[in-house]
Structure formats: C-alpha cells, structure tokens
C-alpha cells in the first residue's frame, strides 16, 4: 500500500507511486497470518492504529480494510479526526456487494471526512474476475472509483532461487490497492493547496463527481454510477487548478 501511495519515481528502481514526495507513517495493525487465526479480533489493534495516527498528526489516513460490522470505536476516532482536519480514504471492499444495502465500515460512515473508494479496471468497468464483479459498490455511498487492476507494488516477488535472481514486482487486483492509489491522489490535492481541510478535499471530490456525472458506458444500472479517476486524471488536475484559482 505504501508503495502505491508514495514510492519515489525517476530513480531507475522498482516501481513508482502516485505522490513521490510524501511523508508516510506505516502502521502494522493486522498480523500477516490473519487467515490462519480463527476468531482473531481485528478491532482492538486497528482502533489503536487509528488513535496513534491521530495522535501523531497524520493528515490523510489510508484505510485499505473494512468490515460489515459497525464499530463505534472507529467512528468516534474518525469523527474526532474531522475536527483536526484528518481525511480518511476507505475501501468499499471486495465481494461484489452493494454497500448501500449492506454497509462496509469505515467506508460507509456518514462523516464529512471519509472518502469511500471502489475499484475500477480497464475501460473503467468495476473491478471483476471474468463477468463477476469483485469490488463492492454503492451509488449513494461510493464517491470515487480508483484503478485497482494490475497495480504494481513495492513488495518484491522472488522468482527462482533465494539470491533474488528473477526478482519482479507483483501486479495486484483489489479494492485495497485502489484505495492506496486514491490516497496518493488525495495527497497530491493536499500538496497543491496545503490549507485544504478534510471536508474540502471530500467536497472537491463530490464536486468533480457532479460536474462529470460519470456513468460507466453502456451500463444502465444505477448501482454502477461513480466518478472514475482512471480515464480523466489529466482533466481532474485541470479542474483542481480551476478550483484553486477561484479560492
């Protein structure tokens, strides 16, 4: 996730993140072997991580995780973060679920400083495997669709022997990596105007969504209506510049 957000570019090494000059606070809250720990409760460590990020002055928090269970601890910390100008970029999750009907948290918290993200792929379709939609979605909840297919990461994949011959960087497919990409873009927006608060960053995203009124071509279903970052990033930058000039 950190690499997608801010890996340094133009240095001939590895891959490039979205925002090259950024200070990252990497917090490890969930064990790597979580899938093998039956009944492991992720709420306490994630709550501690959110509290630590708030205490240490993080301005934009990447939440490439979530659960269908409402957690008051997350909500209270993010609400407190709103008063401190903290933005939370939260993943809608994977599973092809309409989160308007089955909310995923923290993406579905009704807070002005939470930016909810679904994943898109080639041709701006919702991220899918074959014909089965993988990313969660929701026309009332999801603000932005961010690229989540074939995103290179900074976690090297070793091919061959242990010496590292054949080293490659894996391509990832998920709403989590899409959220990291969106977090990097939020950091770029913040760098363009450091005075922007959390609510203003979210408001700009909403404004762009309404201006562009983007709907996936050929799709008549209301559940797949979102503002896509992938095909119009250059237009988005121009819109940001226009917005900033008016301030």
């Amino acid at each position: 996730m950190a690499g997608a957000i801010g890996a340094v570019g133009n240095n001939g090494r590895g891959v490039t993140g979205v925002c090259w000059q950024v200070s990252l606070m990497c917090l490890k809250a969930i064990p790597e072997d979580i899938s093998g720990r039956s009944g492991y409760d992720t709420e306490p460590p994630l709550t501690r991580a959110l509290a630590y990020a708030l205490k240490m002055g993080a301005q934009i928090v990447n939440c490439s995780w979530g659960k269908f269970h409402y957690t008051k601890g997350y909500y209270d910390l993010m609400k407190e973060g709103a008063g401190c100008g903290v933005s939370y970029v939260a993943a809608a999750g994977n599973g092809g679920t309409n989160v308007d009907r089955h909310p995923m948290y923290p993406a579905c918290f009704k807070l002005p400083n939470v930016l909810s993200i679904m994943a898109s792929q080639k041709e701006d379709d919702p991220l899918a495997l074959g014909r089965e939609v993988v990313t969660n979605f929701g026309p009332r909840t999801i603000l932005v669709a961010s690229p989540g297919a074939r995103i290179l990461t900074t976690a090297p994949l070793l091919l061959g022997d242990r010496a590292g011959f054949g080293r490659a960087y894996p391509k990832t497919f998920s709403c989590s990596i899409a959220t990291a990409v969106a977090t990097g873009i939020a950091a770029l927006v913040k760098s363009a105007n450091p005075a922007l608060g959390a609510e203003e960053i979210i408001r700009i995203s909403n404004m762009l969504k309404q201006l562009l009124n983007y709907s996936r071509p050929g799709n008549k279903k209301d559940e797949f209506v979102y503002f896509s970052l992938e095909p119009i990033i250059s237009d988005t930058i121009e819109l940001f510049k226009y917005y900033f000039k008016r301030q």
Side-chain angles (χ1 to χ4, degrees):
M1 302 307 152
I5 295 169
V8 176
N10 200 30
N11 60 3
R13 298 179 58 187
V15 298
T16 299
V18 177
C19 187
W20 296 5
Q21 296 182 339
V22 63
S23 296
L24 290 169
M25 181 192 307
C26 298
L27 304 180
K28 185 175 181 179
I30 302 176
E32 293 181 5
D33 61 345
I34 183 67
S35 60
R37 299 193 181 192
S38 178
Y40 183 86
D41 186 3
T42 60
E43 183 176 334
L46 284 170
T47 300
R48 289 194 295 270
L50 288 172
Y52 183 84
L54 184 60
K55 177 182 177 181
M56 298 305 292
Q59 298 179 44
I60 299 172
V61 179
N62 174 69
C63 300
S64 288
W65 46 268
K67 58 195 301 186
F68 289 110
H69 174 67
Y70 180 92
T71 304
K72 188 176 185 299
Y74 301 165
Y75 180 89
D76 290 344
L77 283 166
M78 291 182 175
K79 184 177 180 179
E80 182 180 351
C84 301
V86 183
S87 303
Y88 297 89
V89 186
N94 306 304
T97 299
N98 186 334
V99 295
D100 287 347
R101 301 171 185 167
H102 306 284
M104 171 72 74
Y105 300 103
C108 293
F109 283 145
K110 296 184 185 302
L111 290 170
N113 59 329
V114 174
L115 179 62
S116 53
I117 305 295
M118 63 179 283
S120 63
Q121 61 182 21
K122 188 177 180 181
E123 305 298 334
D124 306 317
D125 291 335
L127 184 64
L129 290 176
R131 295 185 177 181
E132 183 177 351
V133 173
V134 172
T135 182
N136 291 346
F137 55 90
R140 294 191 303 274
T141 304
I142 306 304
L143 296 178
V144 170
S146 176
R150 302 174 67 84
I151 305 297
L152 290 168
T153 75
T154 49
L157 175 67
L158 297 181
L159 305 176
D161 61 27
R162 295 183 179 180
F165 295 105
R167 182 182 294 268
Y169 287 81
K171 296 175 181 178
T172 56
F173 299 75
S174 71
C175 192
S176 291
I177 200 69
T179 303
V181 171
T183 301
I185 293 173
L188 284 176
V189 173
K190 182 76 172 178
S191 68
N193 189 337
L196 283 178
E199 293 186 29
E200 291 171 307
I201 292 176
I202 307 303
R203 183 162 56 87
I204 290 172
S205 298
N206 272 317
M207 178 189 70
L208 291 170
K209 181 181 179 183
Q210 292 167 8
L211 278 175
L212 296 165
N213 193 24
Y214 181 78
S215 180
R216 188 163 69 97
N219 185 7
K220 304 301 182 182
K221 295 183 178 179
D222 291 339
E223 61 262 33
F224 293 123
V225 176
Y226 48 81
F227 165 56
S228 176
L229 293 172
E230 190 162 10
I232 46 178
I233 288 209
S234 60
D235 292 341
T236 302
I237 293 173
E238 292 305 313
L239 283 167
F240 282 141
K241 289 179 179 177
Y242 173 76
Y243 179 84
F244 293 140
K245 286 179 181 178
R246 296 179 59 189
Q247 301 308 297

